[in-house]
Amino acid sequence: MDVKVGMKIPPQLCMVCRGGKLLCGLTFCPIEVANTLKPRVTSVTGNEVYGSSPPSVFVGRHSYPKVRVYPSAPPVVGDTMLYEDSGRWLSMDMEEFLSMRLSLLRGGMQVRDVSVANPDYTMQEIQVMAISSRPVEIDMRVSKPFSERSVRLSEDTPPMGPSAPLQKIAISESKADQRVEKAFYDTDLLASEAMSSLYRSGVTVSQLTRALSVGALGTGRRRRLVPTRWAITAVDSTLSDALVRRIKGYSELGEFLVFRRETPGNLFVGILAPSTWRYEWGEAWFPGSTWNLWGTNPEVMIDYEDYRGRDTYPDIGGCYYAARLAVAEYLDAVRRQAAPILWREIYPSFNLPVGVWYVRENLREMFRSKPERFSSLAEALRHASIGMRVPLEKWVSRSHVVKALRSVTLDHFMGDMHDGDRG
């Protein structure tokens, strides 16, 4: 399989596709193929794995509604909660993080019907494992050796280690998180209501994604297995929708706030403008970065919504909703309404997809920092541009929210002029 074929693919297409839509017409994503060859996976011998699942379960999306379910565990017994705790991953070196996540060995079982209204014994065991509050020991036997080529690196999901067809699994007794367990047994509770209620009680995004993915939430007859990739976006979207509805009832910010966060290979910038709600998330991928491996110039993409929201899925993908949740959490905490402008620059050294958690957790951390304060949009933009490698003019020319804010400012100015004339 020649990954160099990707050099003929325009980076603009890769940025929209991100390995999920195969817009290039190939039967595989050449970038994902290239990426699976980069990390070094600890070699695994034999066809049996015994270890402590964090817990971890992955649900694939290919051939939906016939999907594969992958209970996962590293060949380690003990406290492995860190393997699934995205809130703690930022403190890890990227190589250490990848090594940890790629040691999760996955046993895949084919499921012909995504409905889990009446799960069989094995699926019910996997559901209970998925909502456990602590690691669960599992013993998996697979029908063939694990292959490094089955390592999963995705724009949406965290990295996962190699897989093999599951032949047999034994799951030890688990202790469910009582909050999630209550929702699991409430078959009259809508999934969206369950997610919002559990989130308010302190259940993490990772826990909610896992529960939704294995069909542990929702009304009884409508419970379904949800591919993990879709479940992540569904949780980010549902939670941020609820927060934004609340934010729209708050008073507007009285000034412009500018936030900034730098990480290896990335720059995150956030401007919160005094306004009613409108929102945008923008990304600039530099040549040599994940979705612009073969380009020659930085490629900028921005998606947005106005006060009414949006009714189509953003081209920019799941990061849109991960970022939206992070900024909505901040605005809800300070009880203010604003128009967030969130931009990210991704540099050549950042050339592996690691999942949308990276955006969500970095922005959460960014909004914990102290912002710079300004009285005008022009001042806020000038300050935000410090350290950015894409010219501010290019960002602004693509920005829907900047254009809207400038229009509102001009309308107010013209209104004041007319009032003066009438005076």
Side-chain angles (χ1 to χ4, degrees):
M1 193 178 292
D2 184 4
V3 299
K4 291 184 179 179
V5 69
M7 297 178 68
K8 301 176 183 178
I9 303 172
Q12 300 91 332
L13 198 63
C14 292
M15 288 176 63
V16 173
C17 178
R18 305 190 187 214
K21 304 173 184 177
L22 299 179
L23 298 179
C24 59
L26 298 173
T27 58
F28 63 93
C29 171
I31 292 179
E32 287 191 345
V33 171
N35 283 330
T36 62
L37 305 178
K38 290 179 181 178
R40 296 304 304 165
V41 182
T42 302
S43 59
V44 181
T45 58
N47 289 35
E48 190 160 353
V49 177
Y50 180 75
S52 298
S53 182
S56 180
V57 181
F58 173 74
V59 178
R61 65 186 176 88
H62 295 294
S63 302
Y64 185 89
K66 297 178 181 179
V67 299
R68 285 191 176 275
V69 177
Y70 298 84
S72 312
V76 173
V77 176
D79 184 0
T80 57
M81 293 293 284
L82 177 61
Y83 287 65
E84 284 286 331
D85 190 350
S86 60
R88 296 162 61 192
W89 292 344
L90 288 185
S91 62
M92 302 177 69
D93 175 82
M94 185 57 72
E95 289 189 11
E96 179 188 7
F97 164 73
L98 285 171
S99 176
M100 176 189 72
R101 285 292 306 182
L102 294 179
S103 70
L104 280 171
L105 305 176
R106 298 177 292 137
M109 53 182 280
Q110 181 77 52
V111 180
R112 296 188 177 278
D113 184 359
V114 293
S115 174
V116 286
N118 295 296
D120 61 22
Y121 177 78
T122 299
M123 181 54 65
Q124 192 168 33
E125 285 278 282
I126 290 174
Q127 288 179 320
V128 172
M129 181 192 81
I131 64 173
S132 176
S133 61
R134 64 188 184 192
V136 180
E137 292 180 18
I138 63 176
D139 190 349
M140 292 190 295
R141 175 173 288 277
V142 294
S143 60
K144 62 181 182 181
F146 293 96
S147 168
E148 288 189 12
R149 288 188 174 273
S150 61
V151 163
R152 182 175 178 82
L153 296 170
S154 164
E155 175 73 7
D156 298 280
T157 59
M160 284 170 286
S163 66
L166 184 64
Q167 195 173 60
K168 183 180 179 181
I169 185 170
I171 302 174
S172 69
E173 184 178 352
S174 60
K175 180 177 177 58
D177 184 310
Q178 292 184 351
R179 298 165 298 181
V180 185
E181 184 180 37
K182 184 177 179 181
F184 178 46
Y185 287 112
D186 188 347
T187 56
D188 294 321
L189 184 63
L190 293 173
S192 58
E193 294 177 0
M195 284 189 280
S196 295
S197 175
L198 291 169
Y199 171 73
R200 290 194 299 271
S201 72
V203 175
T204 67
V205 169
S206 296
Q207 288 176 283
L208 291 174
T209 297
R210 201 161 53 246
L212 180 65
S213 189
V214 298
L217 302 177
T219 55
R221 295 189 307 275
R222 300 183 63 185
R223 290 193 175 184
R224 299 285 188 274
L225 291 172
V226 180
T228 300
R229 178 172 180 160
W230 302 351
I232 292 171
T233 298
V235 171
D236 283 332
S237 175
T238 299
L239 298 182
S240 60
D241 281 347
L243 289 173
V244 169
R245 284 193 294 270
R246 194 154 64 224
I247 288 165
K248 289 177 179 178
Y250 297 150
S251 301
E252 295 176 18
L253 278 177
E255 57 190 342
F256 291 85
L257 304 182
V258 178
F259 296 82
R260 176 190 311 275
R261 177 170 170 79
E262 295 183 56
T263 67
N266 288 263
L267 173 65
F268 296 88
V269 172
I271 302 172
L272 303 185
S275 167
T276 54
W277 174 265
R278 38 172 68 90
Y279 161 78
E280 77 178 31
W281 168 250
E283 297 174 351
W285 292 87
F286 279 66
S289 58
T290 309
W291 301 114
N292 190 3
L293 281 184
W294 303 292
T296 56
N297 297 296
E299 296 291 339
V300 175
M301 175 180 285
I302 295 178
D303 262 315
Y304 75 103
E305 63 188 64
D306 60 17
Y307 188 83
R308 296 165 295 181
R310 61 181 298 135
D311 54 13
T312 59
Y313 188 73
D315 287 336
I316 211 163
C319 287
Y320 179 93
Y321 293 107
R324 188 173 182 254
L325 176 59
V327 71
E329 288 174 335
Y330 174 80
L331 289 172
D332 184 53
V334 298
R335 300 180 66 82
R336 286 292 182 268
Q337 183 173 186
I341 302 168
L342 305 180
W343 295 336
R344 176 192 180 193
E345 292 186 347
I346 306 98
Y347 305 126
S349 60
F350 198 85
N351 57 8
L352 286 175
V354 294
V356 301
W357 72 270
Y358 191 79
V359 167
R360 184 193 314 110
E361 300 305 330
N362 270 294
L363 290 186
R364 282 174 163 174
E365 193 65 27
M366 183 180 79
F367 286 119
R368 294 185 186 107
S369 65
K370 184 178 180 180
E372 298 292 334
R373 302 172 183 273
F374 301 93
S375 59
S376 72
L377 177 60
E379 290 176 313
L381 287 169
R382 277 197 297 271
H383 183 78
S385 69
I386 297 173
M388 293 173 64
R389 301 185 194 178
V390 172
L392 178 61
E393 295 75 16
K394 186 171 184 176
W395 277 115
V396 168
S397 69
R398 307 286 181 89
S399 174
H400 302 273
V401 174
V402 169
K403 181 179 180 181
L405 292 172
R406 284 177 168 174
S407 177
V408 169
T409 301
L410 180 60
D411 288 344
H412 286 172
F413 175 75
M414 295 302 292
D416 291 342
M417 290 285 290
H418 291 315
D419 290 342
D421 291 341
R422 286 194 292 271

